[in-house]
Each structure stands twice: as structure tokens, then as C-alpha cells.
């Protein structure tokens, strides 16, 4: 590709389409709704389309938004005579439950540039065990982890220390599968929780020690072609049992601001803990091939250790934490930030 950016092609996966696929696979309606909830950003993004289109038009860039099921449309945009000048942004990731990474890989196969991380990172990110293995291999603090399937441990349980454990699905995000029994008092209770996850979602589970502390979200968007652009580093405090559940996630996703009671964000930038988290996040982003727009989750333990938990190549840019990052770090709203990020990604291409 050469010349100027003339089109931003956004490929997203609507909740309704995912829900129908899950129903066709035999999931109960309630579970299909939960799995599709991960794609709530696609629903929220509709409110951004018009202002984003206006902002891009000021730069001479056309915005095209299409659902991943409308393959004729986005494939035509990727292969047509006017494909030059097109940048592709897949708003959601996935290759199993969700399918956004497939469109990103297709764009790369066809030689179109991407706004966002490499296809390799996209295919890795939905598997928490693989992300943890990579993070551990490069020296980040990661909790001891056991992979389980339907009550059977698939890796040595001796890795787990004594004390309370925490159980979550391996390949599902947005706190899916995290309920009151996610904190388990012993291995038997943890394996029982893994059976619930398998029955409900048909997903394997990770069993880790329960880490007292705070959840920390790291957010990044390159709005000026600078990979060293500031990070958003926010401790997320959710009222309740000390860890967010699916019910919390559903409530928080609808919020545009932290209310200070059920949800509070504490800015850690400039603190010693924030510096440790930033160093770990930047190192992992470099190794994993993350770029343009990404997020990571850490658990900041009471002793100050930042434990890496997972990463996102397609963070929910429409919800409270990312919008807060854009506003407080860059002084930008979402349309302006995306317009700048698109130009930065376009300029990254070799001549």
C-alpha cells in the first residue's frame, strides 16, 4: 500500500449474530446471551459511527462499518479495484467463540494494513494459558496455574500453593463464568467450579491462587505514531466480594463514568506500583506484537507485586476505563482518538 489513507474499514461482530450461532450449537438461550455479551462493544459502537465518520471525513477518509457475517461487503472492500488506501480495523478478536481475528488474518493475507495488533497476537490473546506462558517466559510475575477440564486437572496440581484458589474460564472474557464460587477454599471446590464452567460454556478453566489485592487495567492507544505513548494505569475497585463477577461486568459495561460507589478508578500513573506495571506491560507488548490499541489486566497484590493475568488485543474502547484513559491521558474523545490512531497505523507501513 502507498499514498494516503482514504478508507477505514471497520469489521465488527454483532451480538445478535453471535447469539444465533450459539443457539445453533445447542447452547440454552441464557448461555447464548452471556457468550454474546462479550461483543457488547459492537452494539455500543453504533453510537460512535456518525461522529467518527464526520471526523474522518475532515481528513478525506471514508468510514465503512460492516458486520463480519456480511463477507461479500468487506471482502469486496479488501479485494476491489479501490482497495488501495484502505486500512482495516477488526473491532473484536476471536477464532472460536468469536471470529474477528479471522477477518484480520484475511486482510493480512490480502496485503491490507491493519489498525491493531498482528494476527499472531490476535490468535494468542483469547487463550489465557498461552498468554500466561509467554509472560512467565519473559520474566513477568504470573500466578501458578493449573488447567482443568470438567473437573479433571490437565496439568500438575502441585503447582498450586495452599490457601484459597480462584477459578475462571480459559478462553472467555468479560468475566464470563466468574460467579460467587470462583473463589474456592480448596482444590476439590475449584475442580467443582471447573465442572460448572464446562457444563455451561464448554470451556476449560484455569485454577490459580486467590491473590488479595486490586485489579489493575492497563490501556493503550497510539494516537500519534509513538509506541512509547503514555499508558493508562487504573486500579479498578468494584464494590462487593473483592473480585468482579459477570454480573458486575454487565453492569459496568453500561457505565460511561465511575460512580465512586459501585465502581471507582484510581490512577496509578506516577506511583511506584504504576511504574512496575508499566515496565511489565511494555515489555510484554513488545514481545507479543501488540500495537496501536490494547489492554492488559494485572492483580496488584497487597505486597506490591503486579501479577499479570491476561491481555486484550481488541479492548472495549467504548466503556468507562478506556474512555477515561483517552480523556485523562490524551485529552481526546473516542472519534478524535480513532482518527489519529488510524493515521498513525497507516504511516507505520513501509514505503
Amino acid at each position: 500500500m502507498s499514498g494516503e489513507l482514504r478508507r477505514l474499514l471497520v469489521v465488527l461482530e454483532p451480538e445478535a449474530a453471535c447469539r444465533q450461532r450459539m443457539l445453533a450449537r445447542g447452547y440454552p438461550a441464557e448461555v447464548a446471551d452471556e457468550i454474546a455479551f462479550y461483543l457488547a462493544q459492537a452494539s455500543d459502537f453504533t453510537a460512535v459511527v456518525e461522529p467518527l465518520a464526520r471526523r474522518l471525513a475532515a481528513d478525506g477518509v471514508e468510514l465503512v462499518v460492516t458486520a463480519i457475517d456480511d463477507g461479500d461487503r468487506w471482502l469486496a472492500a479488501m479485494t476491489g479495484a479501490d482497495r488501495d488506501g484502505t486500512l482495516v480495523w477488526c473491532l473484536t478478536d476471536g477464532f472460536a467463540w468469536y471470529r474477528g481475528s479471522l477477518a484480520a488474518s484475511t486482510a493480512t493475507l490480502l496485503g491490507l494494513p491493519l489498525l491493531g495488533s498482528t494476527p499472531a497476537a490476535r490468535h494468542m490473546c483469547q487463550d489465557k494459558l498461552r498468554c500466561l506462558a509467554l509472560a512467565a517466559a519473559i520474566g513477568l510475575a504470573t500466578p501458578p496455574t493449573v488447567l482443568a477440564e470438567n473437573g479433571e486437572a490437565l496439568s500438575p496440581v502441585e503447582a498450586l500453593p495452599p490457601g484459597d484458589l480462584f477459578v475462571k474460564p480459559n478462553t472467555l472474557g468479560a468475566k464470563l463464568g466468574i460467579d460467587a464460587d470462583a473463589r474456592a477454599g480448596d482444590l476439590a471446590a475449584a475442580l467443582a467450579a471447573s465442572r460448572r464452567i464446562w457444563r455451561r460454556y464448554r470451556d476449560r478453566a484455569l485454577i490459580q491462587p486467590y491473590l488479595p489485592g486490586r485489579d489493575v487495567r492497563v490501556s493503550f492507544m497510539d494516537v500519534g505514531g509513538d509506541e512509547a505513548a503514555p499508558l493508562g494505569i487504573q486500579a479498578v475497585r468494584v464494590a462487593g466480594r473483592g473480585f468482579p463477577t459477570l454480573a458486575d461486568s454487565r453492569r459496568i459495561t453500561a457505565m460511561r463514568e465511575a460512580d465512586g460507589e459501585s465502581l471507582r478508578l484510581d490512577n496509578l500513573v506516577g506511583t511506584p506500583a504504576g511504574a512496575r506495571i508499566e515496565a511489565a506491560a511494555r515489555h510484554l507488548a513488545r514481545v507479543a506484537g501488540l500495537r496501536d490499541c490494547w489492554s492488559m489486566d494485572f492483580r496488584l497484590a497487597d505486597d506490591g507485586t503486579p501479577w499479570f493475568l491476561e491481555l486484550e488485543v481488541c479492548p472495549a474502547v467504548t466503556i468507562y476505563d478506556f474512555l477515561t484513559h483517552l480523556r485523562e491521558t490524551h485529552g481526546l474523545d473516542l472519534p478524535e482518538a480513532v482518527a489519529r490512531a488510524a493515521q498513525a497505523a497507516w504511516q507505520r507501513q513501509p514505503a
Side-chain angles (χ1 to χ4, degrees):
M1 295 292 159
S2 61
E4 295 183 350
L5 173 63
R6 296 196 299 273
R7 176 198 290 153
L8 177 62
L9 173 62
V10 179
V11 182
L12 51 80
E13 185 169 5
E15 290 180 81
C18 177
R19 186 180 300 110
Q20 289 303 313
R21 285 192 300 107
M22 295 301 106
L23 291 173
R25 291 186 187 182
Y27 286 93
E30 180 184 11
V31 179
D33 287 345
E34 290 181 5
I35 294 172
F37 162 69
Y38 180 79
L39 302 170
Q41 176 177 206
S43 302
D44 293 342
F45 191 74
T46 59
V48 186
V49 169
E50 184 176 342
L52 177 57
R54 289 197 304 267
R55 173 58 187 86
L56 289 170
D59 291 340
V61 178
E62 175 192 14
L63 175 65
V64 176
V65 180
T66 179
I68 196 168
D69 287 304
D70 192 0
D72 290 345
R73 189 178 183 206
W74 56 264
L75 278 172
M78 291 184 188
T79 59
D82 58 350
R83 63 194 294 271
D84 287 347
T86 297
L87 179 72
V88 180
W89 183 24
C90 294
L91 195 66
T92 47
D93 59 16
F95 53 87
W97 312 98
Y98 319 105
R99 297 167 296 160
S101 296
L102 304 179
S105 296
T106 301
T108 301
L109 179 65
L110 295 172
L112 271 71
L114 294 174
L115 171 59
S117 298
T118 63
R122 291 172 180 269
H123 285 273
M124 177 188 69
C125 80
Q126 204 174 351
D127 190 317
K128 296 184 182 72
L129 185 67
R130 293 170 65 192
C131 294
L132 286 163
L134 176 61
I138 63 172
L140 271 64
T142 59
T145 302
V146 168
L147 182 67
E149 180 183 293
N150 196 22
E152 177 186 0
L154 300 181
S155 57
V157 298
E158 291 77 16
L160 297 172
D164 283 2
L165 302 171
F166 193 77
V167 188
K168 59 187 176 183
N170 184 45
T171 61
L172 287 167
K175 311 305 178 187
L176 289 168
I178 298 180
D179 209 336
D181 66 347
R183 183 173 180 176
D186 55 30
L187 180 61
L191 291 173
S194 81
R195 283 192 288 271
R196 174 184 61 79
I197 290 171
W198 182 262
R199 287 195 304 268
R200 190 166 185 82
Y201 303 106
R202 303 174 201 166
D203 193 16
R204 291 171 171 174
L206 297 185
I207 303 174
Q208 300 170 326
Y210 178 77
L211 303 171
R214 295 181 287 169
D215 285 339
V216 177
R217 171 64 54 85
V218 179
S219 304
F220 174 82
M221 180 173 274
D222 180 357
V223 298
D226 184 1
E227 291 298 333
L231 303 180
I233 307 175
Q234 301 158 336
V236 183
R237 296 179 180 269
V238 178
R241 55 179 56 83
F243 59 90
T245 64
L246 173 59
D248 294 321
S249 181
R250 282 185 142 168
R251 174 174 46 81
I252 292 169
T253 297
M255 300 177 71
R256 294 297 174 266
E257 299 288 342
D259 60 15
E261 296 180 3
S262 62
L263 171 67
R264 192 176 88 193
L265 300 180
D266 296 329
N267 186 0
L268 298 184
V269 173
T271 68
R276 290 191 294 272
I277 292 170
E278 177 174 359
R282 289 195 186 279
H283 186 40
L284 180 56
R286 178 182 179 185
V287 173
L290 307 185
R291 63 191 186 195
D292 298 336
C293 181
W294 49 264
S295 69
M296 295 182 192
D297 288 340
F298 288 79
R299 184 77 165 175
L300 182 60
D302 292 340
D303 65 2
T305 302
W307 296 93
F308 169 76
L309 299 180
E310 58 187 88
L311 60 84
E312 290 285 349
V313 296
C314 296
V317 298
T318 58
I319 66 170
Y320 69 98
D321 56 350
F322 209 92
L323 295 175
T324 300
H325 162 56
L326 294 178
R327 182 178 66 251
E328 296 186 353
T329 304
H330 299 293
L332 302 175
D333 62 11
L334 184 56
E336 181 66 27
V338 171
R340 296 190 187 191
Q343 292 290 347
W346 183 259
Q347 295 299 323
R348 183 181 59 236
Q349 302 174 83

